[in-house]
mmCIF file of all heavy atoms in Angstrom:
data_model
loop_
_atom_site.group_PDB
_atom_site.id
_atom_site.type_symbol
_atom_site.label_atom_id
_atom_site.label_comp_id
_atom_site.label_asym_id
_atom_site.label_seq_id
_atom_site.Cartn_x
_atom_site.Cartn_y
_atom_site.Cartn_z
ATOM 1 N N ILE V 10 10.687 -47.573 -3.039
ATOM 2 C CA ILE V 10 9.657 -46.648 -2.616
ATOM 3 C C ILE V 10 9.112 -45.834 -3.782
ATOM 4 O O ILE V 10 7.940 -45.532 -3.848
ATOM 5 C CB ILE V 10 10.192 -45.722 -1.507
ATOM 6 C CG1 ILE V 10 10.591 -46.549 -0.278
ATOM 7 C CG2 ILE V 10 9.178 -44.647 -1.099
ATOM 8 C CD1 ILE V 10 11.286 -45.772 0.802
ATOM 9 N N LEU V 11 9.986 -45.453 -4.718
ATOM 10 C CA LEU V 11 9.576 -44.460 -5.710
ATOM 11 C C LEU V 11 9.415 -44.966 -7.139
ATOM 12 O O LEU V 11 8.815 -44.294 -7.965
ATOM 13 C CB LEU V 11 10.525 -43.253 -5.675
ATOM 14 C CG LEU V 11 10.495 -42.435 -4.361
ATOM 15 C CD1 LEU V 11 11.626 -41.424 -4.356
ATOM 16 C CD2 LEU V 11 9.154 -41.725 -4.193
ATOM 17 N N SER V 12 9.948 -46.139 -7.446
ATOM 18 C CA SER V 12 9.870 -46.565 -8.843
ATOM 19 C C SER V 12 8.442 -46.897 -9.261
ATOM 20 O O SER V 12 7.700 -47.536 -8.502
ATOM 21 C CB SER V 12 10.759 -47.787 -9.080
ATOM 22 O OG SER V 12 10.611 -48.230 -10.408
ATOM 23 N N VAL V 13 8.062 -46.460 -10.476
ATOM 24 C CA VAL V 13 6.773 -46.863 -11.039
ATOM 25 C C VAL V 13 6.988 -48.008 -12.060
ATOM 26 O O VAL V 13 6.062 -48.388 -12.781
ATOM 27 C CB VAL V 13 5.997 -45.689 -11.693
ATOM 28 C CG1 VAL V 13 5.622 -44.630 -10.660
ATOM 29 C CG2 VAL V 13 6.799 -45.032 -12.829
ATOM 30 N N ASN V 14 8.226 -48.485 -12.109
ATOM 31 C CA ASN V 14 8.604 -49.596 -13.004
ATOM 32 C C ASN V 14 8.459 -49.268 -14.491
ATOM 33 O O ASN V 14 8.290 -50.179 -15.310
ATOM 34 C CB ASN V 14 7.840 -50.876 -12.655
ATOM 35 C CG ASN V 14 8.177 -51.331 -11.246
ATOM 36 O OD1 ASN V 14 9.356 -51.427 -10.892
ATOM 37 N ND2 ASN V 14 7.175 -51.566 -10.429
ATOM 38 N N ILE V 15 8.458 -48.001 -14.809
ATOM 39 C CA ILE V 15 8.467 -47.545 -16.206
ATOM 40 C C ILE V 15 9.714 -46.671 -16.321
ATOM 41 O O ILE V 15 9.718 -45.536 -15.797
ATOM 42 C CB ILE V 15 7.176 -46.760 -16.545
ATOM 43 C CG1 ILE V 15 5.933 -47.647 -16.352
ATOM 44 C CG2 ILE V 15 7.238 -46.186 -17.979
ATOM 45 C CD1 ILE V 15 4.601 -46.927 -16.452
ATOM 46 N N PRO V 16 10.782 -47.181 -16.949
ATOM 47 C CA PRO V 16 12.064 -46.477 -16.916
ATOM 48 C C PRO V 16 12.020 -45.019 -17.375
ATOM 49 O O PRO V 16 12.643 -44.157 -16.733
ATOM 50 C CB PRO V 16 12.961 -47.320 -17.839
ATOM 51 C CG PRO V 16 12.350 -48.685 -17.822
ATOM 52 C CD PRO V 16 10.875 -48.483 -17.649
ATOM 53 N N SER V 17 11.254 -44.714 -18.435
ATOM 54 C CA SER V 17 11.253 -43.340 -18.932
ATOM 55 C C SER V 17 10.624 -42.406 -17.891
ATOM 56 O O SER V 17 11.063 -41.257 -17.738
ATOM 57 C CB SER V 17 10.515 -43.236 -20.263
ATOM 58 O OG SER V 17 9.176 -43.646 -20.122
ATOM 59 N N ILE V 18 9.628 -42.874 -17.183
ATOM 60 C CA ILE V 18 8.981 -42.044 -16.165
ATOM 61 C C ILE V 18 9.838 -41.979 -14.902
ATOM 62 O O ILE V 18 9.980 -40.912 -14.283
ATOM 63 C CB ILE V 18 7.555 -42.527 -15.867
ATOM 64 C CG1 ILE V 18 6.698 -42.288 -17.150
ATOM 65 C CG2 ILE V 18 6.922 -41.751 -14.684
ATOM 66 C CD1 ILE V 18 5.265 -42.653 -17.041
ATOM 67 N N ASP V 19 10.487 -43.090 -14.537
ATOM 68 C CA ASP V 19 11.410 -43.037 -13.410
ATOM 69 C C ASP V 19 12.503 -42.004 -13.655
ATOM 70 O O ASP V 19 12.886 -41.264 -12.754
ATOM 71 C CB ASP V 19 12.078 -44.415 -13.182
ATOM 72 C CG ASP V 19 11.147 -45.378 -12.443
ATOM 73 O OD1 ASP V 19 10.113 -44.948 -11.896
ATOM 74 O OD2 ASP V 19 11.484 -46.578 -12.399
ATOM 75 N N ASP V 20 13.004 -41.951 -14.890
ATOM 76 C CA ASP V 20 14.042 -40.967 -15.208
ATOM 77 C C ASP V 20 13.547 -39.540 -14.994
ATOM 78 O O ASP V 20 14.264 -38.711 -14.475
ATOM 79 C CB ASP V 20 14.522 -41.134 -16.668
ATOM 80 C CG ASP V 20 15.423 -42.359 -16.836
ATOM 81 O OD1 ASP V 20 15.856 -42.929 -15.798
ATOM 82 O OD2 ASP V 20 15.681 -42.755 -17.981
ATOM 83 N N GLN V 21 12.308 -39.290 -15.412
ATOM 84 C CA GLN V 21 11.745 -37.946 -15.210
ATOM 85 C C GLN V 21 11.586 -37.650 -13.727
ATOM 86 O O GLN V 21 11.859 -36.531 -13.264
ATOM 87 C CB GLN V 21 10.400 -37.827 -15.916
ATOM 88 C CG GLN V 21 10.502 -37.772 -17.430
ATOM 89 C CD GLN V 21 9.204 -37.369 -18.097
ATOM 90 O OE1 GLN V 21 8.195 -37.077 -17.451
ATOM 91 N NE2 GLN V 21 9.217 -37.353 -19.416
#
Side-chain angles (χ1 to χ4, degrees):
I10 298 173
L11 295 171
S12 177
V13 295
N14 298 311
I15 299 171
S17 61
I18 294 182
D19 281 348
D20 285 348
Q21 289 191 1

